[in-house]
Amino acid sequence: KEETKDRIFKAAFALFKRQGVEATTIDDICEKADVAKGTFFNYFPHKEAVFGYLAEDWFAQAEAESAAILARPGRVGPQLIAMFSELAAFYEEEPALARYVLQEWMQSQHSDTDEMCRHWDDLALRLIRKLQANGELRTDDTPERLAGVMHCVRSEEHTSELQSPVAIS
């Protein structure tokens, strides 16, 4: 099942990069992935939902890399910045596609039932606690409050990016 989902994602992403999201049809994706249309809908409710799968992949990468970083003794700030910078490079390299990633991400924001949001929040708390323990981040606020501030800033930035044609051009 994962192989099929990954094949659909890779086909869709390649088509999105080549001809754009709007011009790509589900039929195009199914043909390239060599799956039936029903199979596509078993994994994704609409074509833009493949960007949610991308976010899941990014989270898995971030979680694995951050676990290794957090296990190291000493300062971790520079390694965390490098890790997140690498993940964020997609937004500079593929600004047109980044818009869709942000839209899919924003649809799940502030949802207590969304597992991905809970995992990102948990990861943020672990990173903040480690940075505070190392003296790399202020300790006069709780990790929960700092994570909340980061979440609000991230949500505000994403909202303005989605509304501003300059930010995505």
Side-chain angles (χ1 to χ4, degrees), residues 142-159:
T142 66
E144 293 78 13
R145 177 157 159 48
L146 294 175
V149 169
M150 287 172 38
H151 181 81
C152 290
V153 169
R154 183 182 72 229
S155 295
E156 180 64 29
E157 287 175 354
H158 288 192
T159 301

Side-chain angles (χ1 to χ4, degrees), residues 57-119:
D57 184 57
W58 285 348
F59 177 76
Q61 287 178 41
E63 189 162 50
E65 289 180 41
S66 64
I69 291 169
L70 291 174
R72 296 179 194 145
R75 297 179 59 84
V76 296
Q79 294 93 353
L80 292 173
I81 290 169
M83 178 189 75
F84 282 108
S85 294
E86 184 177 317
L87 287 171
F90 170 78
Y91 293 95
E92 293 175 350
E93 295 166 5
E94 299 289 344
L97 296 180
R99 180 176 137 234
Y100 291 95
V101 174
L102 292 173
Q103 286 173 335
E104 284 299 308
W105 177 252
M106 291 305 292
Q107 287 180 10
S108 65
Q109 289 294 300
H110 309 292
S111 170
D112 293 336
T113 61
D114 185 78
E115 188 176 339
M116 185 60 63
C117 288
R118 288 195 314 268
H119 285 300

Side-chain angles (χ1 to χ4, degrees), residues 26-53:
I26 291 174
D27 288 333
D28 294 337
I29 296 167
C30 292
E31 182 179 326
K32 185 166 180 66
D34 194 28
V35 298
K37 203 170 192 175
T39 301
F40 176 90
F41 287 112
N42 284 337
Y43 295 98
F44 303 104
H46 51 87
K47 67 181 179 181
E48 294 84 357
V50 299
F51 292 108
Y53 183 67

